[in-house]
Each structure stands twice: as C-alpha cells, then as structure tokens.
Amino acid sequence: MPVRFARHSEVDVLIIGAGPAGLMCANALANARVNVRIVDQRAFKITAGYGDGISPRTIELLQSYGLAERLLKECSQIHLAAFYNPSSTGGIELTKRTSNITAPSARYPFEAALHQGAIQDIFLDSMSSLGVEVERSTMPTSIELSKNEDELTDPTSYPVCVVLQRLDQSEDEQQEIVHAKFVIGGDGAHSWTRKQFDITMDGEQSDAIWGVVDFVPDTDFPDVRNKCLAQSNYGSMFLLPREEDRVRAYVQLEDRDVINPVTGRVDKDRMGPEEILKTAQKSLKPYKLIRKSEFLWWTIYSVGQRVASKFSITNRVFIAGDACHTHSPKAGQGMNASINDSHNLAWKIAQVVRGWADISLLSTYESERRKFALELIAFDKTWSTLVCEKPLTEQNSDGVSSEHVLKTFQTDFTSGIGIHYHPSVVVNDTYQELASGLILGKRVPPYKFMRAADGRPFELQDLLPSDSLFKLLVFTSEFSDPLQQARVESMVADMQKPQSFLNRYATPGDSRFDVITICKDRKDKFDFLQLPTLLRSHWSKVFVDDTDPTGSFGGEGYSYFGVGPEGALVAVRPDGYVGAIAPLDRVEVLDAYFASFMKITA
C-alpha cells in the first residue's frame, strides 16, 4: 500500500527496539506519564541467553522504580570471585578467592545473575501495568527529521516522521506514519536508527573469539557457584553461576576452529555448543564439567570495541545501549550500560515533554553517557587483553600475574558505583565542601535515617524514587539550637520569596520538587512540628540522624556525608545523582542552578 494512504498518528516518544535499553526507557517514560510507544521487529520476546549480569548500581536503579524485589527473588547472587592459574601438574589451581564487589558504598554488595529474557519480563510486566505493550512484528522502513529550526526547537512539535510496517497484518493495514516529538533507537549493535543518520561507530575489532554456553552442570569444581576466571595453558574461560542450577561458560577459542578461511569471518557452522564445552573441559582440568541438561543457549562472537560518534541528532533522535557502544561481555557491562543510558535519558525527556525544562537539557544525555561509554571501552580493552593473555608461570615469565588481574578486576567501575558525571547545566561544581560525601555528579550513596514522627528507619535511596521529581535534601543540622533554628527560618523565608525556585517553577497540582528534611537532633527529644511548614509538607518527610530504636545502627549520617554543623542544601536529580549543593543562606545558588535549564509554565 502506498505510504500516502497509510494511517497517521502522533506520539510523544517512539522507541525502536525492545531490548534492555528500549524496555527500560519505555517503562521509565510510562512511569513519568509520557505518551510512549515501543516497537520491535521480532514476533516474540526472548526467553533465554544474551546478557545476564546486573551490577550493584543497576540493582539500586531498579529499586528506584520498585523493580528490584522481583529481580532479587529470581536471580542468583554472586558474592565471591575465584581466580585460577596453571598448576605445576598441568591443570589449574586456585590462586585467590575474594569479594566479587569491592565498592564500599554498594547497597547491594553482589552481582545479580539472571538471563536477559527474565530481566526483560520484569520491565514488560511493569510497562503492562502502566498501559504500555511492545508492538511486535513491527519495523520502521523510513525516518525523516524536519529541517525547520523553529519546529526543532519547539518541544510541542512533532518533527520526526517514521513509517512503520506491520509484518503480521493484511496488506492494507501494514503501514502507519507516526509523527513523534522524539525517537529513541534502542535497536542493538546493528542499529537501523543509527544507520539512517550515518552515525559512525569509532573503534576497532577485537582479535579474540569466544564461545558461550548455558547449561546445568555436573561438576566437582569447588567454585561453580562463584564467578570464576580460569587462565589455563589451554586458554582462558569464565564460569558464572546463574538462576536455579544453571551456569554460563565463556570460553576462549582458537581462530582456526571458528574462522572461515574464505570469508575471514566467524562461522558458527564450524563449531557448536558441544565443541565449546569440550574446550571448557580442557581449561578446567583436573576438574570435571559435564552437561546434565540440554544447552539452554549458545553463541560464538568476536567483539568490536566501538563508540558512536554521536548519541543524538538535534536533540530529537537518540540512540541508546548497544546502538551506541559495543564491547566484550567479560566486564559484565553491556546490559547495565544500556539500562543506565535509558535511565539518564528518560527523566530528561519527561521534563521537556511536560514543559518543565528547556529542550537544551537533552544535550546532557550525550555529554554524560558518551563520556561514560568511552571510559567503558578503555576499561574493557584493558580487561579483555588481560584475560586473553597467557598467565605468568615458570615456563612463561612474560605472562600476566594473578595480582595484576585481581587489581584490574577490583574497581568501582564494574560495580557501576563509580559513574561520575562532569559539571554541566545539571551538575554544579561549587560548595562540594559542605557535603563532601555527596559527590557532585555521582549517585547518592545509601544510608539509613530515622523518620522523626515514628522512629522508623528509612534507606535514603528509597526516599529518592525515579518519579521525575527533583529532591531537595535539607540538612538543617541541630534545629534545637536557637542560632541554627534562626538560620533555618531565614532560609525558609528566602525559599518563600516569589523569585525562589520553589515558587518560580511551581506547577499547580503537579509539583516538580520533593522536600526532604534531615535534622541532626535526638529522636527522643525532637518535635518535628516545630519545623517551618515548608520543611514538613507531610509527616513522613522529616528525618533525624540518630540511631534506630534498638541502637543497632544509624546516627552517623552527617559525618558519613561530610555535612558540618552549618547544614547544607542538596539538590538531587530525578535519576538519583547529586546536581547542586548550597549553604543554607545561599538559596540563590539553587535559584541559578534550576534557572539554567528549567522553564516557567503557565
């Protein structure tokens, strides 16, 4: 059917691709009450294989959407990592067993392992409850972006035109023309969206080739339920525990076994899962590794370590996940990077669609996430090279030492905790000294405070849900001190002025801010009703930095976050990252921060 007779529709955001990046973004936007659609060429959702590792930071992120409980119920938790090297008898022997996660501020000090299909089901079910379903058997055939500058800078316009083709319907129902405000390509390493705008992938192809098999093992290997790197005389392999009794083996392969000599490309017909397992068995000697089940999934791959030259086109078309960065799975960052891309992008689009922020805010998606992608590729090159090198032995004095491998492995980068966004319109760079433990551009670390009204302990991160709101953490210090009380009351007076950000960006019936007050007072003497009304909009919004009722924990939050007796104001972005810090008597610092990207709505 000619396109001119196709059905036309409008949508705020059209997402192409229902992998981790696309599903995460669709769920986040649906939560933010943004009109979103998501399409995928595949007729069915995946049920096995692909990515399977969720980092501590990504678990925190999922918790902010209310999704972590199901993940933790279904997954295998990986707390320990084991390293094996060649033994004097020709097999392998244990070199070191250590913590898998070493980031001291990780709320979840472990990695969660669950096959990608089950992880995507968590997003799918959440989206469904919000009225959003993946439109399957649907592919884009063309995309056109307006060249009209006025249209591109008007956030209420629909400057992106996408022709969709339905593969499962009759000919006269096959085509639809969608007019979108924004389009997001979460369509994988071979992204159609990226190719339509001639965005290049910069980097290089790895020489290493790996096989992957998922199965239920019969083994006497003592670290089968830990993350394991075995560097043997036959090559390297990773063994990862999975949900139920499953494991995944990543096995280093020889080029001659999998490269087609005519094409020079990896040929999966030259080696199947049985051959991959046999290679793994050689690397794991003297331990046995026998398959008890059918192979649940397998593949062979060589990895291109590449980053897209740009992540967006005129702040209207974006790419996320594997569409903008590819790397090896050995660092466990593929699905995590994809989910975090979408988490970063979704709240910014939601602010713009609601009319709360200028469209220029969307430029920070590329500046923040492309920087991270470049850092990820640099780490992945180092890590991948190390694990592919021959290990240090008496016969190989030029090999890689286990200490070098371990030092590279134990980094905040792999946990996701180390993500640090540099100064921009949404990350200030002043007054860090007022809250030295709340790093500007980094996520708010976990800590438990006591709710003033009832003494119930609350994890601070749980007070920062991904709900599109900026959180204002007001550290009043000791409100019972008359001098400090006067400072707080003066601050509140400044916040109540018409030009203050709280009033300037007030939206009738739909607040952009959530004020959370944290006092350095004793729970048994503090009367939270003495606080100014602005700081206690609801009884559940006031907390004290004191021990819990049993005296087991708490009471050191001000010290942990580096907040002194003068107190501090901390603006937290909707994605849980610290955006700005100000003294109590400098509310104008936050006025200027929000004025740099927020818009006044009628």
Side-chain angles (χ1 to χ4, degrees), residues 556-574:
E556 300 292 335
Y558 269 67
S559 175
Y560 181 64
F561 289 139
V563 179
E566 67 278 9
L569 294 170
V570 179
V572 181
R573 308 183 337 179

Side-chain angles (χ1 to χ4, degrees), residues 511-552:
S511 175
R512 304 188 199 184
F513 305 97
D514 190 10
V515 178
I516 299 166
T517 304
I518 303 173
C519 303
K520 198 174 188 298
D521 293 87
R522 302 287 298 179
K523 60 181 177 292
D524 55 346
K525 296 180 180 179
F526 181 60
D527 180 1
F528 75 95
L529 295 176
Q530 298 302 309
L531 286 168
T533 306
L534 181 68
L535 302 184
R536 52 178 178 88
S537 61
H538 190 266
W539 62 266
S540 64
K541 299 294 184 179
V542 181
F543 296 82
V544 292
D545 182 23
D546 199 359
T547 56
D548 77 301
T550 69
S552 302

Side-chain angles (χ1 to χ4, degrees), residues 283-512:
S283 295
L284 214 61
K285 287 181 178 179
Y287 304 102
K288 72 174 184 179
L289 185 66
I290 302 171
R291 173 171 60 90
K292 286 175 61 177
S293 71
E294 295 297 316
F295 289 107
L296 304 167
W297 184 76
W298 72 280
T299 191
I300 296 173
Y301 69 89
S302 62
V303 173
Q305 293 161 323
R306 298 187 174 94
V307 177
S309 57
K310 58 179 68 176
F311 283 19
S312 70
I313 303 293
T314 65
N315 285 333
R316 288 295 188 164
V317 178
F318 304 87
I319 53 176
D322 288 353
C324 50
H325 43 70
T326 61
H327 39 84
S328 82
K330 290 179 285 296
Q333 292 300 301
M335 184 159 42
N336 291 288
S338 297
I339 290 172
N340 279 271
D341 283 349
S342 293
H343 181 57
N344 182 285
L345 177 59
W347 75 266
K348 296 170 182 176
I349 287 182
Q351 295 276 324
V352 173
V353 168
R354 288 184 176 186
W356 291 0
D358 189 83
I359 198 167
S360 61
L361 169 66
L362 298 175
S363 297
T364 63
Y365 166 65
E366 179 173 312
S367 63
E368 291 185 338
R369 294 306 297 173
R370 190 169 187 274
K371 171 183 173 293
F372 167 80
L374 291 168
E375 293 170 349
L376 170 59
I377 293 301
F379 172 80
D380 187 57
K381 285 182 179 179
T382 300
W383 179 240
S384 296
T385 299
L386 279 180
V387 300
C388 291
E389 292 289 332
K390 293 289 186 181
L392 178 65
T393 62
E394 290 184 4
Q395 294 74 31
N396 183 26
S397 59
D398 295 329
V400 177
S401 70
S402 57
E403 291 80 11
H404 190 184
V405 172
L406 186 63
K407 183 179 179 181
T408 306
F409 169 78
Q410 291 181 326
T411 169
D412 281 359
F413 196 86
T414 53
S415 68
I417 304 300
I419 294 173
H420 191 179
Y421 298 135
H422 283 191
S424 67
V425 292
V426 283
V427 178
N428 262 10
D429 59 357
T430 57
Y431 294 109
Q432 180 64 78
E433 69 278 5
L434 296 180
S436 58
L438 291 165
I439 306 299
L440 288 160
K442 297 189 75 171
R443 105 308 186 201
V444 174
Y447 194 84
K448 289 183 179 177
F449 291 101
M450 305 307 123
R451 192 161 61 187
D454 58 4
R456 177 179 170 183
F458 266 83
E459 172 54 63
L460 178 58
Q461 287 188 345
D462 290 341
L463 304 176
L464 311 173
S466 295
D467 57 4
S468 301
L469 302 183
F470 279 83
K471 314 303 186 300
L472 181 64
L473 304 182
V474 182
F475 290 91
T476 65
S477 194
E478 294 187 40
F479 189 74
S480 55
D481 174 53
L483 185 59
Q484 189 64 15
Q485 182 175 336
R487 291 194 187 103
V488 171
E489 289 173 346
S490 176
M491 174 205 71
V492 169
D494 289 341
M495 285 187 178
Q496 290 176 328
K497 293 177 180 178
Q499 67 271 29
S500 166
F501 68 93
L502 285 179
N503 289 315
R504 183 176 176 82
Y505 305 110
T507 305
D510 201 3
S511 175
R512 304 188 199 184

Side-chain angles (χ1 to χ4, degrees), residues 157-168:
S157 70
Y158 297 82
V160 194
C161 177
V162 180
V163 178
L164 297 179
Q165 181 176 353
R166 294 296 301 266
L167 306 177
D168 61 348

Side-chain angles (χ1 to χ4, degrees), residues 240-254:
L240 303 177
R242 284 272 298 275
E243 70 278 6
E244 300 171 357
D245 292 329
R246 303 169 183 175
V247 298
R248 167 169 289 187
Y250 289 95
V251 187
Q252 189 176 6
L253 303 176
E254 295 285 347

Side-chain angles (χ1 to χ4, degrees), residues 14-27 36-47 50 116-124 127 132-140 184-189 191 193 320-323 335 338-339 342:
L14 175 66
I15 299 173
I16 299 169
L23 292 175
M24 170 67 200
C25 204
N27 183 69
V36 58
R37 289 175 62 183
I38 177 169
V39 300
D40 195 279
Q41 183 174 347
R42 289 170 292 190
F44 304 100
K45 65 183 183 180
I46 66 171
T47 57
Y50 300 94
Q116 185 171 314
I119 293 169
Q120 293 187 180
D121 280 346
I122 296 174
F123 290 124
L124 289 166
M127 288 162 45
V132 178
E133 305 282 352
V134 176
E135 299 173 40
R136 299 196 178 276
S137 299
T138 302
M139 61 178 288
I184 300 169
D187 44 353
S191 171
T193 310
D322 288 353
M335 184 159 42
S338 297
I339 290 172
S342 293

